[in-house]
Amino acid sequence: MASAESDAFELPPLPYNKRALEPAISEETLNYHYGKHHAGYVRKLNALADGTPLAKKTLEQIIKTETGKAYNLAAQIYNHTFYWNSMSPNGGGAPRGNIKQCIERSFGSFENFKAQFTTAAGTHFGSGWAWLVRDGDNNLKIIARSDAGNPLSEGLVPVLTLDVWEHAYYIDYRNGRGDYINKWWGLVNWDHANKQLAPSSKY
């Protein structure tokens, strides 16, 4: 995510147009969530990194080695980019490919996984993220992390994520996080998940 221009970090383009996820997630939400919040994290990290060794690091390096403001900003940039890629206008439905077998091995069935992930996302207190991750033994597990929490700092490989910060859904669902989560299942990008399961996967 380094830029050829003066800024060390750039806002990655969305993998679809801002109306592509409607009606589950509106263009208005993306205008604010991507255009204001995500972009704001990029702007603030560039200001913080300007003229410092941070400007030479990747987001992943910052997440794994830094704490405090630098970690929070880098993680939020990474988390949001991963979130956009965890969804697709052609997504949803049952998993397919390697992710299907891995989910069944780790959770018994897709239905069990879906129920557990929905609970993790729906019951997480306050702002944060629900993640499907791969551990060092190639097992999948579900974790929920507060604020900017990112699995890379724990030695885990992200596979899918769901943003449960209120700004991710308030325009479309007000405080109805459960409704937002239910609609998200119709957007899940299983192709993206499969890419994260490759032995040499590097997001």
Side-chain angles (χ1 to χ4, degrees), residues 132-136 138-140 155-159 196-199 201:
L132 176 66
V133 299
R134 175 166 57 90
D135 66 18
N138 282 322
N139 295 315
L140 297 183
L156 301 168
V157 177
V159 177
Q196 313 317 308
L197 296 178
S201 67

Side-chain angles (χ1 to χ4, degrees), residues 83-104:
Y83 169 64
W84 306 131
N85 283 283
S86 290
M87 300 182 290
S88 167
N90 301 313
R96 51 195 173 271
N98 192 24
I99 187 66
K100 179 179 186 293
Q101 284 73 44
C102 290
I103 284 174
E104 290 173 349

Side-chain angles (χ1 to χ4, degrees), residues 169-184:
Y169 57 87
Y170 192 81
I171 290 173
D172 297 323
Y173 301 97
R174 296 300 184 256
N175 64 340
R177 184 190 288 186
D179 294 332
Y180 158 68
I181 294 169
N182 288 336
K183 291 292 187 181
W184 178 79

Side-chain angles (χ1 to χ4, degrees), residues 1-11 46 55:
M1 294 185 183
S3 169
E5 304 299 326
S6 58
D7 285 341
F9 306 97
E10 63 183 6
L11 178 67
N46 278 317

